[in-house]
Amino acid sequence: QVLIGDGRSDVARGHADVFPKLARLLRLAGQPDQAFETLQAIKARRVGEAAAKRAGAASETLPRVADAIRLLADLGGAAPTVFAELSVEKDGLTAYLVDAAGVRAVHVAANVAAGHQADRGDINERPRRLVQYCLEDPDLRAFVGAIAAALPERCRVLLSASGFLVNVPLHLVPLDGRPWCERFAISTIPAIGVLQYAARDVSPRDLTTVGGDSRHDLPHAARECAAIADLLKTEPLVGGDCSAINIRARLQAGHHQLLHLALHGRGDARRGARASVLLADADGPRWVGLHELFTRDVSIRLAVLSGCSTAVAGPLHGHELTGVAGAAAEAGVSSIIACLWPVEDAVAEHFMTELYAIILQQRDDGVIDLVAAMDGARTALRQWMAGAGERGQRRNGRDLSLGPLDDEAPAATVADALAWAPFVLIGRPVLTVTA
């Protein structure tokens, strides 16, 4: 009942641990519907409250089961979408699956300490630990297997994770010997309630902004910007022109169908507020949080953050999770493509150019299916890697703070996954093109 503002944030912080505990008790009591609705009270509070403010509401409306079903149906598409609310409990992992049939809970006993350990420790080894956790942890594989067994054969899966699972590349988990993302169309979202406010329509007349290589040390990022800007018929902001002032000016010029940034990124799984991107400045490059770029009058449908660790979320005020992609979601960006760990410069360029080739073809057809575009770009990248002489190398990464990641990799599959699996889709999975 507390209105949006500082007082409400204080209440949420003080009672954050109540909701997961209550949800667990409701699940054990055979009430998955109420357990699901209880978890929504704490999910992505900053994103939800920011969206409500933009809509002129005094308080955010938390979705009930019927609302969630309606929002999923509104996504459209040939295949139905199943929403999966993922919760980390003290003794295992739980998924609340929501579709037209209602809510059903899937619980697997698991050693959750293994997941916490993968997300912590030495920052240079963290990406490899996360990939190994996905590929090798039997409890996580059992959890994904149990979810898949409860899904219709042909469906989309929209994941909303919590705890350490937010930073885990779940699409990589093997399912019958193949990555989960090759069996189902998988994307993520901070919370189901975000769909209440996320705009779905894009227009070819809307503006685009492309920028990158702000420190003149990422040659492939510069090429990536040039190629994408050429496809989108715009002038890229590269090098010293890729500054916060110039990007803000572009964004404030009108509605944007797309913002693309190819530059150094910095995510922090321990302190989310440190997440930022490196932009040019009069006194030299500086780290800038996306909150500095986005003002209340900025409207962006798709933000592609082609920089290291831009999808990493870390705690803020004890329980909130935020990062570069999180800041974009708070600013009202409908769909975000970002990266879970450091990515090699040439690999990112190849993935992104393939991605845009697919997106522009889809735009001409009237519907942009971002999950299909991501899957197609991953497939093209893996084929390119199989014949590339620089396979698996991590030179010229887009994260200044991290060193090499692939020397003495424990298995070829881990080294390969570090290259092709970091990019994830956050937010609305499908955009509709208007005339």
Side-chain angles (χ1 to χ4, degrees):
Q1 302 299 315
V2 182
L3 296 181
I4 292 174
D6 293 339
R8 178 167 168 166
S9 298
D10 292 340
V11 171
R13 286 198 293 269
H15 299 81
D17 62 338
V18 170
F19 301 98
K21 292 178 180 178
L22 176 57
R24 177 177 180 273
L25 294 174
L26 289 167
R27 175 180 64 79
L28 293 173
Q31 301 178 54
D33 288 36
Q34 293 187 40
F36 167 76
E37 292 178 352
T38 296
L39 287 175
Q40 303 316 299
I42 201 62
K43 286 303 297 286
R45 305 305 316 132
R46 289 171 59 91
V47 177
E49 292 181 11
K53 284 184 179 180
R54 284 192 302 275
S59 181
E60 180 193 1
T61 302
L62 297 178
R64 303 184 72 84
V65 172
D67 300 318
I69 294 173
R70 174 181 55 79
L71 291 169
L72 292 172
D74 187 54
L75 288 175
T81 301
V82 178
F83 178 69
E85 177 70 57
L86 308 183
S87 179
V88 179
E89 300 181 2
K90 62 181 181 180
D91 60 347
L93 302 171
T94 301
Y96 295 92
L97 305 180
V98 184
D99 59 12
V103 182
R104 52 199 181 278
V106 174
H107 177 79
V108 171
N111 174 21
V112 296
H116 286 292
Q117 291 168 2
D119 196 34
R120 295 198 173 102
D122 181 86
I123 192 170
N124 291 323
E125 291 296 320
R126 180 175 168 275
R128 185 182 299 153
R129 288 196 308 272
L130 289 172
V131 168
Q132 286 182 284
Y133 175 62
C134 286
L135 294 178
E136 301 171 7
D137 187 82
D139 294 338
L140 186 62
R141 295 177 69 163
F143 182 51
V144 168
I147 293 173
L151 295 173
E153 286 190 11
R154 292 178 54 82
C155 74
R156 296 171 173 269
V157 184
L158 187 58
L159 302 175
S160 179
S162 61
F164 69 86
L165 289 176
V166 171
N167 292 324
V168 173
L170 293 168
H171 59 281
L172 181 60
V173 178
L175 184 63
D176 297 332
R178 295 164 56 193
W180 193 9
C181 63
E182 292 187 4
R183 301 293 304 276
F184 293 90
I186 295 175
S187 59
T188 66
I189 198 166
I192 187 69
V194 172
L195 292 175
Q196 297 178 103
Y197 307 101
R200 64 182 300 169
D201 295 334
V202 299
S203 170
R205 296 190 302 274
D206 290 341
L207 303 176
T208 60
T209 291
V210 177
D213 190 25
S214 57
R215 211 177 71 152
H216 289 293
D217 60 348
L218 295 173
H220 290 279
R223 287 173 42 182
E224 176 183 318
C225 289
I228 292 170
D230 184 60
L231 289 171
L232 298 173
K233 310 302 181 188
T234 188
E235 188 68 27
L237 299 170
V238 179
D241 291 331
C242 186
S243 66
I245 292 175
N246 289 340
I247 293 174
R248 274 199 302 266
R250 289 276 187 96
L251 294 179
Q252 291 169 359
H255 285 275
H256 267 63
Q257 59 175 303
L258 189 142
L259 167 67
H260 181 90
L261 296 178
L263 32 68
H264 291 293
R266 180 175 67 181
D268 195 330
R270 300 183 184 91
R271 290 177 291 174
R274 292 186 71 242
S276 47
V277 293
L278 192 71
L279 295 177
D281 191 75
D283 298 324
R286 68 182 181 95
W287 291 107
V288 177
L290 287 199
H291 291 97
E292 289 190 43
L293 295 181
F294 298 137
T295 57
R296 294 188 64 179
D297 56 345
V298 167
S299 174
I300 303 171
R301 295 296 181 260
L302 171 63
V304 181
L305 306 172
S306 180
C308 292
S309 305
T310 47
V312 173
L316 181 68
H317 303 316
H319 77 279
E320 283 282 4
L321 291 173
T322 190
V324 176
E330 288 174 39
V333 180
S334 299
S335 308
I336 304 151
I337 294 173
C339 191
L340 284 169
W341 55 74
V343 61
E344 197 270 322
D345 196 18
V347 169
E349 178 198 1
H350 193 84
F351 176 86
M352 288 299 168
T353 52
E354 294 287 348
L355 176 73
Y356 277 93
I358 300 172
I359 286 177
L360 290 179
Q361 177 61 54
Q362 293 178 339
R363 190 178 69 175
D364 292 340
D365 295 337
V367 175
I368 300 175
D369 185 335
L370 293 168
V371 182
M374 293 279 288
D375 290 341
R378 288 193 192 109
T379 298
L381 176 60
R382 294 175 76 179
Q383 292 172 346
W384 175 78
M385 286 171 54
E390 295 181 312
R391 177 181 177 181
Q393 295 183 15
R394 282 283 191 276
R395 296 193 299 272
N396 294 324
R398 297 187 185 180
D399 190 311
L400 296 180
S401 62
L402 302 183
L405 297 174
D406 61 341
D407 49 330
E408 300 180 1
T413 53
V414 173
D416 289 345
L418 283 168
W420 69 260
F423 287 102
V424 292
L425 171 62
I426 303 166
R428 179 177 281 279
V430 178
L431 298 173
T432 303
V433 182
T434 59

